[in-house]
Amino acid sequence: MDTRQKLEILADAAKYDASCASSGSKQTRRGSQIGSTEGMGICHSYTPDGRCVSLLKILLTNYCIFDCTFCVNRVSSDTPRARFSVDEVVQLTLQFYKRNYIEGLFLSSGIIQNADYTMQQLTMVAKKLRSEHQYGGYIHLKTIPGCSDELIHEAGRWADRLSVNIELPTQNDLKQLAPEKDSTQIVTAMDTVKTRIDETKADKKQGFKAPSYAPAGQSTQLIVGATETPDATILQTVTSLYQDQRLRRVYYSAYSPIPHADARLPGMAPPLVREHRLYQADWLLRFYGFSADELFSPQQQNLPLDIDPKLAWTLANRDRFPVDINRADREMLLRIPGIGSRSVGRILQIRKHRSLSVADLKKLRVAWKRAAPFVITTDANPSLKLLDSLQLKQKTSTERQLSLFDAIDSARSGEV
Amino acid sequence: MQSRHVESFEDWRNQARQLIAAEISPREVCFRENSSQAELFGATNTPQEKLPAARPFRVDRKFMQLADRVVCHRDVDRYDLLYRILWRLTHGEPKLMQVTVDDDIYRASMMEKAVRRDAHKMKAFVRFCQVETESDREKYVAWHEPDHKVLRLIAPFFARRFRGMDWTILTPDESVSWDGKQFAWGPGVPMSQRPRADSLEELWKTYYASIFNPARLKTKAMKAEMPVRYWKTLPEAELIDDLIRKANTRTESMISHREGVAFTAERYLPEDLTVESFQAGLAQCDACSLCEHATQVIAGEGPVPSRLVLVGEQPGDQEDLVGRPFIGPAGQILNQALQDAGIRRDEVYLTNAVKHFKFEERGKQRLHKRPNVSEVTACHPWLQAEFLLTVPRVVVCLGSTAAQAVLGRGFKIQTSRGQFFSGPHDCEAIATYHPSAALRVRDVKRKEEIIRHLTEDLRRAAEKAKA
């Protein structure tokens, strides 16, 4: 099998992985001849699914001894198999990088032989790129749960980011769909990475020249919609990942139909709107001071599909509005629908010099339609009277007035 | 009103400094680039008025950062706008930069944003092609058309990124080359002179097409991030139409094509497990599709309970016709091996991991076909039930299909043959060659070796079962 055929199979096998970020590394490695990791990530292309191509995202091999139902590479799938050699991946990465096609490498793998062997192979690719080719671009390695700590330590020396996929939000879901995966092993692997990152930081603080260790931190991915687990449970798991494991990112991947799908799973289009709402909620957790509990009620354990989670929270907490743009504290400004954290920063800055009007807010490019009924400005804001109206939800929803049925349609078409 | 000609950002900066010192208000001056456009208005002929030397003064650092980018914008009024802001900053509005909703600041920051975005897209969409050179260093050339004049902003970035590589970036306005040490600036180059295709492009297109998931079509989002005007230099762009067109069909076939088994034999397992209820349940099993073609289902045979249980792969052609396990050619070899190991066949329980014959028709022949993992999985409850009935002390797995069904999917005969492992229900399990392996090898020596190992492993299993 030639490299092109392998690439076809092993890129195809990686296309369900949502992660694509290439940012977050502190600086380019010293002595690099090819490649840098400065600034924010660059997306070199976009595919028709609207997702960016920033990294060469491939599997080292799609042979796998596991039988996770949702995965196209599970052992019981009849998907065509291939395996790259370490050198093939090294050469592909360098050749693509030199032509400025990619920002780096995201290497994952099916589990072959055992966890240690697989991890060794992944690490060898990164080590070769760094030490034999002075490659300074981004490298994201997927950590294989169950491999030894030494291998995780070695991997972090060469990689910018490590990730361990949690795949499913609860132990029960794992038992159901990924019987060979063990949530304790996954969390242990995350702990190992976290501890090592902390140690490196502490060493640097004390003035030691510690070799860099996964400078872009660690991330994970979980699959949404393959089981019945509601959003509330998912976001509770995620909250503890952010707090306890200090993950940089959690990626949500709508369970997507796969060729060679296991008959035990229903064939369906991926729940893209749900995935989108989870990303919005994730944002609220990380940058807007929301807690997972606030976004749900005992009756409502899933995020609404027809409106974004911030607006949904606002509608359920009308009594806390309207908010005076010129007086409210940062925490409350962050809770106004249609106003992002960057705009909040600007509002606070401008407020020191002069007070803000409706026109000013529009210039700051806030989503005025959503924000209007909830804010007091220096001038008259006729939309304020909507706050007590029964039609508040319809009036503040997106321009297209997404109804629940539209949401289902858009889940089908993929356009959010 | 005086008109001033600007060569570069540095030039504008010097002139602006002098104009501020001379207290010339923005209303009294306009800036024009030294380009053909300026000549249109006949302004180039007006001699440049001499200005007095300026005293240095300080201005908000944010302004300099903004100006550095705004000058790359193609808007002809950009120098006038910057001068107006500079004037206001030095004439009673020192905090102006922070009032981002001010009309002038807003307009400048919109320009800055356009330039920043264009520069970012240039970092992304410059595509190098490798070109032939006489030197031993690799050489790469790209042609790119930015919206604004951002090459000067971007060149240092490419130098840091591709330090050890010789490269040239051509744009319609200007061009720049890097030789590993320094820049060399040159004139603009039209699209017709862009470098020829690179041999790696085919590989790149393969990657692009493969990483796209047709189940998630979002063309609007794609075009927002990768505007169509950039497509002309992106080799993968020519694939887009076709990928979009086929996406729906591909998704539908992904959803409709499923494989494996929807359920396993578990639903046919009798609640009250006896040899009779086991056989009655087995006779009805259609957990996988093998039942559709096989003549009959073949249960294990032998004493129940039984200290020693042998598990093979699946029944063969003769087994399927007669209805008993291990009676074909492989059965003959097994019989001989059992005899040599001092084991009576009627003292052991013989069964298979899969209970139906799987075959491929080739003319009149029915050729044995290895069962896939989903079929083994579907049949697994029957094997489990047989272990419950026979309560073996030792299970012998014949061949890798049996070994993986009993000992787990990672099991490899080559590395773990002849060793004892803990098996189901606290018994011991050992894996060895399937007797049919001896039928398949041509090499006589190898054949003898396989039979010897098989016999030896059986003998050891029997000893363990007796102990």
Side-chain angles (χ1 to χ4, degrees), chain B residues 278-298:
Chain B
F278 172 84
Q279 282 174 345
L282 185 63
Q284 296 175 8
C285 184
D286 63 352
C288 71
S289 59
L290 294 184
C291 61
E292 290 164 26
H293 304 287
T295 311
Q296 54 190 312
V297 65
I298 292 138

Side-chain angles (χ1 to χ4, degrees), chain A residues 32-33 35-36 38 44-46 48-49 55 57 78 98-100 103 257 261 265 275 353 363, chain B residues 98 101 103 123-124 126-128 130 138 160-161 163-164 198 207-208 216 218 236 254 258-259 409:
Chain A
S32 296
Q33 288 298 309
S36 56
E38 58 181 87
H44 290 259
S45 191
Y46 290 81
D49 54 22
L55 303 170
K57 187 158 56 170
D78 291 344
K98 284 179 181 172
R99 284 155 180 84
N100 205 37
E103 196 63 12
L265 278 181
E275 177 193 280
H353 307 287
K363 269 188 193 159
Chain B
Q98 289 175 39
V101 288
D103 280 338
K123 288 180 184 175
V126 156
R127 289 296 150 81
F128 286 116
Q130 192 173 15
E138 289 179 347
R160 289 191 297 274
R161 168 155 293 192
R163 195 139 59 99
D198 186 288
Y207 175 68
Y208 180 80
R216 313 178 47 121
K218 274 190 194 176
E236 68 273 23
M254 273 157 79
R258 291 191 285 148
E259 64 189 29
R409 295 214 173 82

Side-chain angles (χ1 to χ4, degrees), chain A residues 93-145:
Chain A
T93 309
L94 286 173
Q95 298 288 356
F96 279 3
Y97 200 97
K98 284 179 181 172
R99 284 155 180 84
N100 205 37
Y101 295 162
I102 52 166
E103 196 63 12
L105 172 69
F106 174 20
L107 189 60
S108 177
S109 181
I111 297 172
I112 37 170
Q113 294 192 18
N114 53 49
D116 274 359
Y117 175 78
T118 313
M119 195 65 218
Q120 257 164 13
Q121 296 287 305
L122 293 177
T123 307
M124 197 139 39
V125 172
K127 184 179 177 179
K128 271 204 163 173
L129 278 167
R130 299 285 192 221
S131 46
E132 283 178 25
H133 301 277
Q134 282 75 50
Y135 168 78
Y138 192 82
I139 299 180
H140 177 164
L141 291 185
K142 182 125 296 169
T143 314
I144 308 294

Side-chain angles (χ1 to χ4, degrees), chain A residues 289-309:
Chain A
F290 281 82
S291 74
D293 298 340
E294 286 180 281
L295 301 174
F296 301 97
S297 67
Q299 299 80 34
Q300 177 85 24
Q301 289 286 295
N302 279 307
L303 295 168
L305 293 178
D306 55 344
I307 48 173
D308 72 77

Side-chain angles (χ1 to χ4, degrees), chain A residues 9-14 17 57-68 70-75 79-84 89 106-123 141-145 147 165 167 180-181, chain B residues 412:
Chain A
I9 293 172
L10 293 169
D12 188 276
D17 207 310
K57 187 158 56 170
I58 47 174
L59 300 192
L60 188 65
T61 174
N62 65 340
Y63 288 101
C64 187
I65 58 172
F66 280 8
D67 197 26
C68 306
F70 54 82
C71 178
V72 65
N73 304 313
R74 68 187 188 286
V75 65
T79 194
R81 309 279 171 168
R83 180 178 174 175
F84 274 131
V89 178
F106 174 20
L107 189 60
S108 177
S109 181
I111 297 172
I112 37 170
Q113 294 192 18
N114 53 49
D116 274 359
Y117 175 78
T118 313
M119 195 65 218
Q120 257 164 13
Q121 296 287 305
L122 293 177
T123 307
L141 291 185
K142 182 125 296 169
T143 314
I144 308 294
C147 79
N165 274 5
E167 304 291 13
E180 286 108 332
K181 288 214 174 194
Chain B
K412 283 203 165 54

Side-chain angles (χ1 to χ4, degrees), chain B residues 14 61 129 157 227 257 298 355 362 392:
Chain B
N14 287 332
R61 197 190 326 149
C129 294
F157 165 82
H257 176 83
I298 292 138
K355 309 288 193 263
R362 187 84 53 83

